[in-house]
Amino acid sequence: MKTALLIVDIQNDFCPGGSLEVKDGDTIIQSVNELAGSDRYDIVVATQDWHPANHGSFASQHGAEPFSNGKLDGENQIFWPDHCIQNSEGANFHPDLNTAPVKAIFRKGMDELVDSYSGFFDNKRKRDTGLRHYLSGLGIEEVHVCGLAADVCVKFTASDSLDLGFKTILIEDCTKAINDGDFEKFIELFQSKGGIVTNKKNIIGV
C-alpha cells in the first residue's frame, strides 16, 4: 500500500510568537522532520494557509474581537486574528521544518469569502485544492496526517482524507491543539468512522 505523509500548516503564525500561535506548536517539528526524513513514505506533501490581506475570516475586516463569532458570506464564522497573509513572514514555513523531503505544497484559504481549514477543500466544499487528485494519481491509498492545529486544520484534513476513501492515520504526538478538549472529541469521532490514531514510534520505531 503506497503511503503519503501530509504535513499541515507548520507556519510561523501558528507557532509561538505568531499571530495565531498554538501553544508549544514548535515542539512537534523535530518529530515531523524525523517522519519526513524516514523511508516510510512514498511521498511527503504539505499544506500552507495562504490568505489575502482582506480575508473575510479576519476579525480586523469586521471591526470585531479576535475569536468572536459572526457570519462570512452567510455562514457561521470564527473571526481570527490576521494570519498567514500571502508572502508574509507569518505565512512562511517555520525555519526548523525541513522542507527538503516535501515534493508538493497545496495552498488554501485564498478566497476571501470562505475560510479553508482542510487541505482538500474549502469550508463550503466548493473548491478542491487538487490534493486528492495528486495523491490518487500517485496511487496513494494511505495518508498519515500531522501538523497544526490539531483541532482545526489537522482535524478537517484528516476527516476529509477519511471521507475520500484513504486509509487515514493521525499521528497524535506530531500535532498540537488550540483546545485539547475539542481535539479529544474529534479523536473519538474519527476512530468511530475508521480512522486510526497512533504515535511516531509506532510508525518509524523511534
Side-chain angles (χ1 to χ4, degrees), residues 97-175:
L97 180 68
N98 179 16
T99 58
V102 175
K103 300 306 180 186
I105 296 167
F106 293 85
R107 288 173 168 169
K108 57 192 180 68
M110 293 173 280
D111 182 342
E112 67 269 20
L113 292 178
V114 60
D115 216 346
S116 191
Y117 300 153
S118 169
F120 291 94
F121 305 100
D122 65 48
N123 288 8
K124 290 186 175 181
R125 297 180 75 87
K126 289 184 176 181
R127 290 174 178 82
D128 188 314
T129 65
L131 175 57
R132 64 169 170 168
H133 301 295
Y134 180 82
L135 296 176
S136 295
L138 293 171
I140 298 297
E141 298 177 78
E142 181 171 316
V143 177
H144 295 190
V145 184
C146 61
L148 300 171
D151 52 330
V152 188
C153 295
V154 169
K155 163 185 164 179
F156 281 88
T157 299
S159 182
D160 279 347
S161 176
L162 195 61
D163 289 344
L164 288 168
F166 296 105
K167 179 180 179 181
T168 305
I169 296 178
L170 179 61
I171 307 174
E172 191 172 13
D173 56 345
C174 291
T175 186

Side-chain angles (χ1 to χ4, degrees), residues 7-67:
I7 302 170
V8 178
D9 297 1
I10 300 185
Q11 296 167 256
N12 289 325
D13 272 343
F14 296 131
C15 291
S19 63
L20 187 48
E21 68 177 73
V22 179
K23 184 180 179 183
D24 299 325
D26 57 339
T27 62
I28 68 169
I29 295 175
Q30 180 57 40
S31 290
V32 172
N33 287 343
E34 291 171 9
L35 286 170
S38 73
D39 60 3
R40 178 65 175 80
Y41 298 102
D42 296 285
I43 190 79
V44 178
V45 298
T47 65
Q48 189 175 24
D49 235 17
W50 197 249
H51 295 306
N54 66 338
H55 199 272
S57 70
F58 294 166
S60 62
Q61 298 299 305
H62 304 271
E65 288 295 316
F67 306 106

Side-chain angles (χ1 to χ4, degrees), residues 6 23 68 93 124 179 205:
L6 176 50
K23 184 180 179 183
S68 62
F93 291 116
K124 290 186 175 181
N179 185 312

